[in-house]
Amino acid sequence: MLRVGYPATLSKDWFRDFPEGIELIPVSDKMVHDVEIDVWIPDPYSTRAIRAWPRLRGVKLVLSMMAGTEWIPGTVGPHVTICNAHGAHNVSTAEWTVSAILAMLKYFPLYLDIQRSGVWKRRFEASKLCAELHGDTREMYPPVLGEELTGKTILLIGYGAIGKEIERMLKPFQVEVLRLARRARTEPEVHAVSDLDILLPKADVVVLILPATAESRGLIGTHQLALMRQGALLVNAARGPVVDTDALVEALRAGKVRAALDVTDPEPLPDGHPLWSCPNLLITPHVGASTPEFTPRALRTAADELRRYLTGEPLKNVVQEAT
């Protein structure tokens, strides 16, 4: 019988469709005794999972419920196979990304502030904002009170499953999509990361949806922000450390760019951090994948991997092979 540890925060009802031949063992960071398991499905909150790890014995396979697994290798070591939940968060994260782009182009943060103030005439602040962002001081009538996504150029930095889903959702807006990943590919054209500086000045919207690695840390810094178009939008749906936070704060305060962030560095963002008060910035507290569909979709992915593991088939979403 394969012993499978699962987050004690989840009801056992979620595991009704898991394969036969397993014993489900609840795992908590509050455990006071060691637990012997073969497979571990960690708590989605990494801090709780890391606290639970010292009590686990015999783990050979980790099935993460998340797409990002950057904390797991350093916790469990090289002798454990690790699989991520590839594909489980495509829809939710892509929807957040498209929503964030539209919210910023339609000036929703400004209009929410206007709503709370109860002053209708403040709507004309949108015209001033647009002029400042793009350096276009021409008087227009009717006044500019928002921007359009249709026809914009979008640079996707990272072109895995979520990047492809973002592109699919953006297609009705007739945008031009530029794609960048670690290696160049064709059909569709994907540029290598070495082309980043060439592509940044061409984009109205830059979307970060790449994994957190040593190479991606600080990928967007002072130099890259300076290369972006005046008033361009930076959207980070990846990981906070991909962006140099100090450089972003400086660029936002200077009015060079605007940004929408679901992730920050540091995270959680502490009280009083400069990002909280930056202009032209939308922050959500790492909620992009947190929908009612998250748990069942992630667990279906884990259940499929377990069936493969039990029958000796190759696992699909391996990010680390045990040594």
Side-chain angles (χ1 to χ4, degrees):
M1 185 74 69
L2 194 71
R3 294 167 61 88
V4 178
Y6 71 94
T9 51
L10 294 180
S11 166
K12 218 169 185 179
D13 291 345
W14 288 110
F15 301 87
R16 286 193 301 264
D17 297 328
F18 268 50
E20 296 181 358
I22 66 170
E23 179 185 359
L24 289 167
I25 310 293
V27 170
S28 166
D29 61 336
K30 304 291 193 301
M31 294 185 306
V32 295
H33 54 83
D34 293 350
V35 174
E36 189 80 20
I37 58 176
D38 304 292
V39 180
W40 183 34
I41 301 173
D43 193 298
Y45 287 94
S46 59
T47 51
R48 288 202 297 244
I50 290 169
R51 287 197 297 265
W53 171 253
R55 289 293 185 184
L56 303 183
R57 298 289 179 268
V59 176
K60 304 175 186 66
L61 172 65
V62 174
L63 299 178
S64 174
M65 295 175 65
M66 309 298 289
T69 59
E70 56 271 10
W71 66 270
I72 300 179
T75 300
V76 305
H79 306 303
V80 177
T81 297
I82 302 169
C83 295
N84 70 1
H86 177 81
H89 315 303
N90 295 1
V91 171
S92 54
T93 305
E95 285 188 356
W96 179 91
T97 301
V98 175
S99 299
I101 293 171
L102 286 167
M104 292 301 288
L105 292 181
K106 299 302 180 183
Y107 302 167
F108 281 0
L110 170 63
Y111 288 124
L112 179 58
D113 184 53
I114 291 172
Q115 175 188 335
R116 288 172 172 164
S117 74
V119 182
W120 185 265
K121 289 183 179 179
R122 282 188 57 201
R123 69 190 187 279
F124 295 113
E125 292 177 21
S127 296
K128 180 182 178 183
L129 173 60
C130 186
E132 290 174 347
L133 280 169
H134 300 292
D136 188 348
T137 58
R138 292 175 297 174
E139 192 168 333
M140 296 188 185
Y141 188 83
V144 173
L145 302 178
E147 299 175 52
E148 297 177 2
L149 172 56
T150 298
K152 292 285 194 291
T153 299
I154 315 292
L155 172 58
L156 296 176
I157 300 181
Y159 197 63
I162 299 175
K164 292 172 184 175
E165 184 67 10
I166 293 171
E167 180 174 9
R168 185 190 70 80
M169 291 187 180
L170 287 172
K171 190 174 182 180
F173 293 96
Q174 300 170 20
V175 296
E176 178 185 359
V177 176
L178 306 174
R179 310 167 193 87
L180 185 141
R182 185 177 298 173
R183 292 178 295 276
R185 307 197 288 273
T186 57
E187 296 181 9
E189 181 181 22
V190 180
H191 295 264
V193 70
S194 56
D195 288 340
L196 176 61
D197 288 1
I198 298 171
L199 297 179
L200 282 171
K202 300 179 179 181
D204 301 296
V205 180
V206 176
V207 175
L208 304 175
I209 192 63
L210 68 167
T213 64
E215 293 79 14
S216 67
R217 187 177 190 89
L219 183 70
I220 304 298
T222 300
H223 175 68
Q224 290 73 30
L225 291 164
L227 288 174
M228 290 174 62
R229 288 180 176 177
Q230 174 61 41
L233 171 62
L234 177 69
V235 180
N236 191 358
R239 287 291 186 268
V242 174
V243 178
D244 181 324
T245 299
D246 291 341
L248 178 59
V249 168
E250 184 178 343
L252 288 167
R253 287 176 171 173
K256 168 63 177 176
V257 299
R258 46 190 157 164
L261 311 175
D262 189 44
V263 290
T264 59
D265 182 26
E267 187 176 308
L269 198 62
D271 294 348
H273 191 280
L275 272 178
W276 287 121
S277 57
C278 278
N280 302 318
L281 174 62
L282 170 65
I283 299 175
T284 59
H286 207 154
V287 300
S290 300
T291 67
E293 291 75 26
F294 162 77
T295 297
R297 192 181 288 135
L299 290 179
R300 282 197 298 270
T301 302
D304 181 61
E305 294 285 41
L306 269 178
R307 291 187 189 94
R308 291 173 172 274
Y309 191 68
L310 285 165
T311 59
E313 295 178 65
L315 300 174
K316 291 176 66 176
N317 300 323
V318 175
V319 295
Q320 173 181 291
E321 290 275 11
T323 58

